[in-house]
Amino acid sequence: MASTGTIFAVIIVAVVILVGGAVGLLYLYPNVAHPSPKGGTTTTTPTGSTTPTGSTTTSPTTNTTTSRGYSLQLQQSGSQALLNSSLTTPVSKTYFKYDGLGNDFGNNPSYTYNYNDSGNNWLLQGDFEPGTAYFNANSSGVSFYDQTCSTPYYGQPLRECGPYFEWNGNSFEENVSELSGALYGVPTNAQVFSIYVTLPYYNFNGCEYNVSSTGCSYEGYGPTISGIWALDVGNSATGNSYSVAVSLNEFCSQLSSSFGTCVSSTNDLSVGLGTAGFVNGQYQPSLSRNLPVNVQSLRYTPTHKLTIATDLHSYFEVWVDNVLEYSNSTSPIAAGNNLALNFYQFDNVDNMTLGTTWKNVTVYANSRIFVSGLSSGMTAVATGANGFNATATANSTGTATIDVSNEPVNLTVSVQQNGQTIATYSLSVNAGTELKLAGT
């Protein structure tokens, strides 16, 4: 897979994804500013999530409280989304004419489709030849499809099947086909980045390793289709760039042996997380590493929410649905002055048409709600749609910091003492809101 550079801060980053040794390409663009959240600890126990729409409170309203005489007063309003892209602007079935991303198969120029969704210009590309790929967009989102062997198929996998060619005919460079969307110019004060992905069920039963000539065949460790969500960070002054990517991978739940035949008609999901880096334009293996996740295996269901939340300084979180897969007080990648987002489909199965659907990209400037004026034993609570519930205790200065990165809008905030609610703010709030508990 060749890489190309574009003048004016378009930086290409190679990222090793955790399934089958797949290698993708991530893009960057220009801009910086990552305000740090305030202290405190948070416990989050959500049971569902919805597409955020959000509203912003504008006046310091108080609520009716218990006989102890407490009220919550607004100190600073939260904010609406910095960026909304539903990915539902209609596009009829459109074929990718040939590879983008450097185009190392054939001599055609690289192909990019400019998909404008509510003013957000996504660049849709792929590395799928010698197969065929196309996409469409409707109310369900943007759907990628990879017809991994060309039709009609003449039994020549090196000439006709993308995954087979990538591994067996391209010096073992990778073992997947890839389709992707890239958005440059993401606001540099952004801290929460979410997308929904649908991985339809695919029956890999009977799929054999590295055969391709007849029936289902796969490259890599097992038949797999993956959806990847990536945050890219670059520095236009140095040319250095970094990326973190979370992958959700649908795979055959049982093989007959290592590199054997799939012997199951059921699939599982696995979660992967990795980083990559370029320094002075050169790929740095030491900066590209796998990160541990808290729940590696999930039961297969088709639609999931992927969230990356970070200020690239004091915290870094990755969520899959309502599972906190990774959390650290420092960022595994460096800060910079460019932000970009990517979503990817990787698949390594020949003789099948595989697809993913992507919807509802949202970006927010904050992932926390702050409640000050608390005394010892008090707890701040935020509740939201579908049972979302996050709690936080106060730090030494009496401020509780509630982590709402997985549900940053339309939240109700209250304060509890000894298990009893003593104050509830009367309006719904968004991430970034600051409240203060006061006596009346």
Side-chain angles (χ1 to χ4, degrees):
M1 182 181 290
S3 61
T4 60
T6 303
I7 201 167
F8 187 46
V10 175
I11 306 164
I12 295 180
V13 181
V15 168
V16 178
I17 305 300
L18 302 181
V19 171
V23 177
L25 291 177
L26 307 184
Y27 293 83
L28 295 215
Y29 186 73
N31 284 324
V32 102
H34 303 286
S36 301
K38 302 176 182 179
T41 59
T42 301
T43 301
T44 307
T45 57
T47 59
S49 59
T50 58
T51 304
T53 53
S55 60
T56 302
T57 56
T58 57
S59 60
T61 306
T62 59
N63 70 310
T64 302
T65 62
T66 67
S67 58
R68 295 191 180 190
Y70 290 107
S71 66
L72 281 170
Q73 300 177 350
L74 182 67
Q75 306 298 297
Q76 179 174 304
S77 297
S79 58
Q80 295 179 324
L82 293 172
L83 185 153
N84 266 314
S85 185
S86 66
L87 302 178
T88 58
T89 301
V91 177
S92 59
K93 184 177 181 179
T94 300
Y95 280 89
F96 291 94
K97 297 176 182 178
Y98 25 77
D99 278 351
L101 306 177
N103 186 39
D104 58 355
F105 188 84
N107 297 312
N108 293 312
S110 296
Y111 175 79
T112 300
Y113 182 91
N114 291 283
Y115 175 61
N116 191 300
D117 179 62
S118 302
N120 301 293
N121 188 39
W122 292 88
L123 303 186
L124 307 184
Q125 297 183 321
D127 185 7
F128 55 88
E129 288 189 331
T132 303
Y134 57 93
F135 77 96
N136 62 26
N138 51 37
S139 60
S140 297
V142 168
S143 296
F144 287 141
Y145 297 95
D146 179 20
Q147 190 173 307
T148 53
C149 294
S150 60
T151 301
Y153 177 51
Y154 298 102
Q156 302 178 67
L158 284 179
R159 290 179 172 268
E160 300 181 81
C161 299
Y164 190 92
F165 168 81
E166 292 289 1
W167 187 247
N168 295 282
N170 205 21
S171 303
F172 307 108
E173 185 177 23
E174 56 197 9
N175 47 38
V176 294
S177 291
E178 174 267 332
L179 300 169
S180 66
L183 181 66
Y184 307 156
V186 174
T188 54
N189 61 329
Q191 293 190 24
V192 182
F193 315 87
S194 295
I195 196 169
Y196 286 80
V197 59
T198 297
L199 295 166
Y201 169 75
Y202 290 103
N203 187 353
F204 297 132
N205 190 30
C207 203
E208 300 180 75
Y209 171 66
N210 199 32
V211 177
S212 185
S213 298
T214 58
C216 178
S217 171
Y218 69 89
E219 315 307 319
Y221 302 112
T224 304
I225 181 170
S226 302
I228 293 97
W229 180 229
L231 170 66
D232 309 327
V233 181
N235 190 314
S236 57
T238 65
N240 298 345
S241 54
Y242 308 90
S243 180
V244 63
V246 54
S247 63
L248 190 63
N249 318 294
E250 177 188 350
F251 65 97
C252 170
S253 60
Q254 186 175 356
L255 299 178
S256 60
S257 61
S258 179
F259 299 100
T261 301
C262 176
V263 292
S264 174
S265 59
T266 62
N267 294 333
D268 292 324
L269 294 174
S270 67
V271 178
L273 185 64
T275 66
F278 267 56
V279 175
N280 297 322
Q282 298 296 316
Y283 176 63
Q284 299 295 313
S286 63
L287 299 177
S288 303
R289 57 193 178 98
N290 296 339
L291 300 174
V293 295
N294 292 325
V295 182
Q296 189 171 17
S297 297
L298 302 174
R299 181 177 63 87
Y300 170 77
T301 53
T303 300
H304 300 271
K305 181 183 181 182
L306 308 179
T307 301
I308 297 171
T310 181
D311 64 354
L312 295 173
H313 171 62
S314 65
Y315 79 99
F316 200 101
E317 297 176 357
V318 175
W319 299 78
V320 175
D321 299 325
N322 299 309
V323 177
L324 181 59
E325 292 287 2
Y326 180 86
S327 179
N328 205 309
S329 59
T330 61
S331 173
I333 59 175
N337 58 359
N338 306 301
L339 293 181
L341 294 170
N342 297 93
F343 59 90
Y344 289 84
Q345 171 183 312
F346 286 85
D347 55 85
N348 67 344
V349 183
D350 301 301
N351 293 306
M352 288 185 72
T353 298
L354 299 165
T356 56
T357 298
W358 303 85
K359 190 176 184 179
N360 293 334
V361 173
T362 52
V363 174
Y364 289 88
N366 209 308
S367 63
R368 290 357 188 199
I369 289 175
F370 311 104
V371 183
S372 62
L374 304 183
S375 301
S376 177
M378 292 183 179
T379 301
V381 181
T383 57
N386 299 318
F388 178 87
N389 184 289
T391 64
T393 57
N395 61 15
S396 59
T397 65
T399 297
T401 303
I402 313 173
D403 182 354
V404 296
S405 56
N406 206 35
E407 193 68 45
V409 295
N410 294 332
L411 299 166
T412 299
V413 177
S414 60
V415 174
Q416 294 181 355
Q417 186 175 42
N418 300 323
Q420 300 296 315
T421 299
I422 62 171
T424 301
Y425 190 64
S426 60
L427 300 178
S428 62
V429 300
N430 298 342
T433 297
E434 296 183 13
L435 299 170
K436 183 176 182 179
L437 184 68
T440 58

